[in-house]
Amino acid sequence: MKYLCLIYENEKSWESMPQSDAEGIMNEYFAFTEDIRKSGKYVAGEALQPTPTATTVRVRNGKISTTDGPFVETKEQLGGFYLIDAKDLNDAIQVAARIPSARLGGIEVRPVVDFSAEASKREESAGAKA
Amino acid sequence: MTRDSRPVTQDTVEQTFRTDSRRVLATLIRLLGDFDLAEEAMQEAFSAAVERWPQEGVPRNPRAWLISTGRFKAIDLLRRRARFNASLQPLADQLGDGITQPEEIEEEGVQDDRLRLIFTCCHPALPPDAQVALTLREVCGLTTEEIARAFLAPAPTLAQRIVRAKAKIKVAKIPYQVPARTDLPERLASVLQVIYLVFNEGYSASSGASLTRHDLSAEAIRLGRLLGELLPEPEAMGLLALMLLHESRRETRTSPDGELVLLDEQDRTRWNRELIDEGVALVERSMRCRQFGPFTLQAAIAAIHAEAASAETTDWAEIVGLYDVLLRADPSPVVELNRAAAVAMRDGPAAGLTLIDGILARGDLQDYQLAHAARAELCRRLGQTSDSVASYRRALSLTLQEPQRRFIEKRLSELAKS
């Protein structure tokens, strides 16, 4: 079962951090990524540029409107993610707890929708109606 | 299968439902992997028992018979649904494969199932109010209406809470298992919190006319006993001890006309000795394990009160010492407040008042009714009438419970006369 681990932390804390600390955390990230690759739980993962580089796009009445910044302002910002394949939620929690930023901010663990299962549910309701 | 020949009535089935329905459900959830399907299967298994036991006799192992029958009923249910949804067919077949005869359903797995059920209902990924509702529904077998009444909440709200929690278990795939040793402290803390919340809701209703709602406290103690039996961890024993020691004083907490009676004015001869003895023995057992935590420490404090003949002869120095340890283990302004009250008893009201004023000055307990009531009481004892009146008024503005309101109003009218 796939879970998306969204990494939230205060991006300002990275700015004020001594470089040696930041390097230490980055090394932890490399080691962690390597480790979950080996365990077969890694599906994908990326780090994001900070929110001042973000753009929010909306389309209303067919017109594109573009604004700067993230969709919602929060104390902690989305800074990156891992998509993992875990046995169940407890397993996913164990993986998320090892993401270095779990100690600095928080990791939101979200189950990913399985569209093949969703499709068979739709067939079911269609069949029930027929 | 051998059957015994005792006369079978509706009562036998009802009796079995009362004693075993939760165990049957817990095992069916494991076997079927679905709360709702397990609930339906269990109901059908008991319906089958009502029909068949009177004719065929009570099976040798009724619980195993019910589990096995429930499993067959679930397969039937899935096969009927598979006519409309082909994707259910493999699941029905899978359940049908390797089906066990009732004799093969082992006792040990069944014991673990009840723990699995408790830990799943109290999973920290579920919202706290949903953990409470789900535990009372699935582990204790209360109806949604009963839970709603106990928490003074509308039944549809409670029902929705339970439906959402079950949906999250399924969608986020919360596993049906007892946590690994490494996760146990955090996961157990979550279970203990749920049980204590249920107890407190029953012991001191947060609003309304009645000070105690006995059913919820009894339910929490039942849960605490079950947990202590299945998983005798020090803190599980500590929590059970704490609940038993509080419970031992229940009868004396209110006067016959429903007025609040404080600890130092309670009739100690009416405290329930049996509960106290059981509670004290549990505290001692837990403290010997040396891995005890906040619940055991609070129970140890309650035990000192329970064993003292009066407020004056209570070992207040020992109580202050225990609060010191508790503050280190689990720092909180409420614990600090309780420690201040114990210091007032050990060193006099002025010493306690200094501590309470310090806590209030930090702003931590400004809206906590008991902090102002405690301050008012110490000022009263020191003869500082106007300060006492001001604090009682502040406490009164924060309290929702009728008996506590009446208690404070009584104190205020006494102060007005002095």
Side-chain angles (χ1 to χ4, degrees):
Chain A
M1 168 128 172
K2 288 198 182 70
Y3 295 87
L4 184 62
C5 301
L6 297 155
I7 301 165
Y8 282 92
E9 61 194 330
N10 186 342
E11 53 194 22
K12 293 221 169 64
S13 67
W14 279 94
E15 291 164 20
S16 57
M17 195 183 286
Q19 195 174 348
S20 57
D21 287 10
E23 274 168 17
I25 295 173
M26 281 320 291
N27 285 333
E28 280 185 54
Y29 262 104
F30 296 140
F32 167 74
T33 308
E34 184 56 30
D35 196 64
I36 57 166
R37 267 184 206 277
K38 273 192 203 140
S39 71
K41 286 178 180 162
Y42 177 92
V43 180
E46 300 289 352
L48 305 179
Q49 296 287 357
T51 53
T53 66
T55 307
T56 298
V57 179
R58 294 176 176 83
V59 177
R60 296 289 181 272
N61 304 320
K63 266 180 66 185
I64 297 176
S65 105
T66 311
T67 47
D68 73 313
F71 187 63
V72 271
E73 295 282 347
T74 47
K75 262 188 235 158
E76 293 180 327
Q77 298 81 26
L78 182 63
F81 69 87
Y82 282 98
L83 182 62
I84 61 166
D85 199 351
K87 190 160 74 73
D88 52 40
L89 183 65
N90 285 1
D91 190 22
I93 290 170
Q94 290 302 324
V95 174
R98 284 164 47 219
I99 298 177
S101 294
R103 301 197 312 268
L104 308 166
I107 314 297
E108 183 175 322
V109 178
R110 295 275 290 268
V112 170
V113 176
D114 177 353
F115 275 103
S116 60
E118 292 291 305
S120 70
K121 255 189 235 163
R122 274 197 295 278
E123 275 165 31
E124 169 188 5
S125 55
K129 276 179 213 128
Chain B
M1 199 190 297
T2 48
R3 309 275 184 178
D4 67 21
S5 57
R6 68 191 137 113
V8 177
T9 61
Q10 181 85 14
D11 287 355
T12 316
V13 182
E14 275 171 23
Q15 175 64 31
T16 313
F17 189 85
R18 272 195 298 277
T19 54
D20 285 351
S21 70
R22 296 299 111 189
R23 295 173 203 237
V24 171
L25 179 72
T27 299
L28 284 173
I29 293 172
R30 171 169 57 84
L31 296 174
L32 304 173
D34 184 292
F35 274 69
D36 290 326
L37 183 62
E39 182 81 33
E40 256 180 282
M42 181 198 71
Q43 297 294 350
E44 293 222 2
F46 275 97
S47 303
V50 171
E51 272 172 39
R52 287 169 52 189
W53 291 5
Q55 288 154 28
E56 299 171 14
V58 176
R60 196 163 40 86
N61 183 342
R63 196 190 305 155
W65 186 95
L66 287 160
I67 292 166
S68 164
T69 306
R71 196 176 188 181
F72 280 116
K73 295 287 180 189
I75 296 165
D76 286 347
L77 283 165
L78 285 178
R79 289 211 171 116
R80 256 177 276 151
R81 282 174 207 167
R83 279 186 226 143
F84 299 109
N85 178 3
S87 73
L88 288 172
Q89 189 61 52
L91 189 57
D93 293 343
Q94 187 196 326
L95 283 173
D97 286 346
I99 196 107
T100 40
Q101 289 304 309
E103 289 81 1
E104 294 168 33
I105 291 169
E106 287 304 323
E107 280 298 306
E108 57 185 309
V110 172
Q111 281 289 41
D112 281 353
D113 286 333
R114 289 204 290 174
L115 261 186
R116 284 190 186 98
L117 183 57
I118 293 171
F119 276 105
T120 305
C121 290
C122 298
H123 198 285
L126 300 172
D129 53 6
Q131 292 178 32
V132 169
L134 200 60
T135 302
L136 289 172
R137 176 77 198 89
E138 307 298 330
V139 185
C140 305
L142 267 60
T143 64
T144 309
E145 290 71 24
E146 283 169 332
I147 303 167
R149 254 200 314 280
F151 284 91
L152 310 173
T157 309
L158 250 302
Q160 195 180 43
R161 222 172 266 173
I162 292 170
V163 167
R164 284 195 184 143
K166 284 185 191 163
K168 180 158 186 184
I169 290 170
K170 205 189 270 187
V171 171
K173 209 170 171 195
I174 292 176
Y176 196 59
Q177 54 184 216
V178 178
R181 199 74 219 172
T182 48
D183 301 339
L184 196 59
E186 189 219 338
R187 297 289 310 278
L188 183 63
S190 171
V191 173
L192 298 177
Q193 211 52 52
V194 165
I195 298 176
Y196 197 41
L197 216 140
V198 172
F199 180 80
N200 276 331
E201 191 63 31
Y203 195 68
S204 137
S206 50
S207 62
S210 159
L211 200 61
T212 57
R213 271 180 277 151
H214 185 72
D215 289 349
L216 278 182
S217 299
E219 214 56 67
I221 289 174
R222 235 194 312 277
L223 265 173
R225 283 191 200 283
L226 175 64
L227 187 68
E229 190 187 306
L230 297 172
L231 194 72
E233 289 286 311
E235 275 294 87
M237 288 189 279
L239 172 62
L240 178 58
L242 180 63
M243 294 192 294
L244 293 171
L245 291 165
H246 279 320
E247 185 69 17
S248 73
R249 303 204 286 260
R250 176 187 292 283
E251 299 296 314
T252 63
R253 291 173 76 227
T254 43
S255 68
D257 43 0
E259 299 303 319
L260 184 67
V261 184
L262 293 186
L263 184 63
D264 54 351
E265 289 162 359
Q266 289 172 8
D267 176 1
R268 296 182 182 223
T269 60
R270 285 172 57 223
W271 286 357
N272 185 325
R273 285 316 316 179
E274 225 171 289
L275 294 179
I276 291 174
D277 291 345
E278 192 187 349
V280 169
L282 280 163
V283 172
E284 286 167 356
R285 240 179 92 195
S286 172
M287 299 260 279
R288 271 199 303 274
C289 299
R290 299 218 146 266
Q291 277 172 323
F292 55 82
F295 282 121
T296 302
L297 286 164
Q298 290 177 72
I301 293 166
I304 295 176
H305 286 301
E307 292 189 306
S310 67
E312 294 73 38
T313 56
T314 301
D315 188 347
W316 291 103
E318 176 77 17
I319 289 181
V320 172
L322 284 166
Y323 273 123
D324 287 337
V325 182
L326 183 56
L327 264 180
R328 278 199 296 276
D330 186 25
S332 93
V334 173
V335 174
E336 263 186 84
L337 175 69
N338 290 329
R339 181 181 175 278
V343 168
M345 293 303 287
R346 187 189 62 180
D347 303 336
L353 185 59
T354 309
L355 291 172
I356 293 180
D357 281 342
I359 299 166
L360 285 171
R362 289 204 317 255
D364 284 340
L365 297 179
Q366 274 300 338
D367 294 329
Y368 190 57
Q369 179 252 122
L370 292 176
H372 297 283
R375 183 178 192 278
E377 178 62 22
L378 295 183
C379 291
R380 187 182 69 90
R381 279 193 235 158
L382 288 165
Q384 300 170 358
T385 308
S386 62
D387 276 1
S388 178
V389 168
S391 286
Y392 271 129
R393 289 215 173 113
R394 178 93 177 98
L396 193 61
S397 72
L398 294 167
T399 185
L400 295 169
Q401 268 183 314
E402 247 343 281
Q404 290 192 336
R405 297 187 66 87
R406 286 200 300 271
F407 174 83
I408 295 171
E409 277 160 1
K410 197 177 102 200
R411 281 281 202 258
L412 277 169
S413 73
E414 283 164 9
L415 284 166
K417 278 177 220 145
S418 68

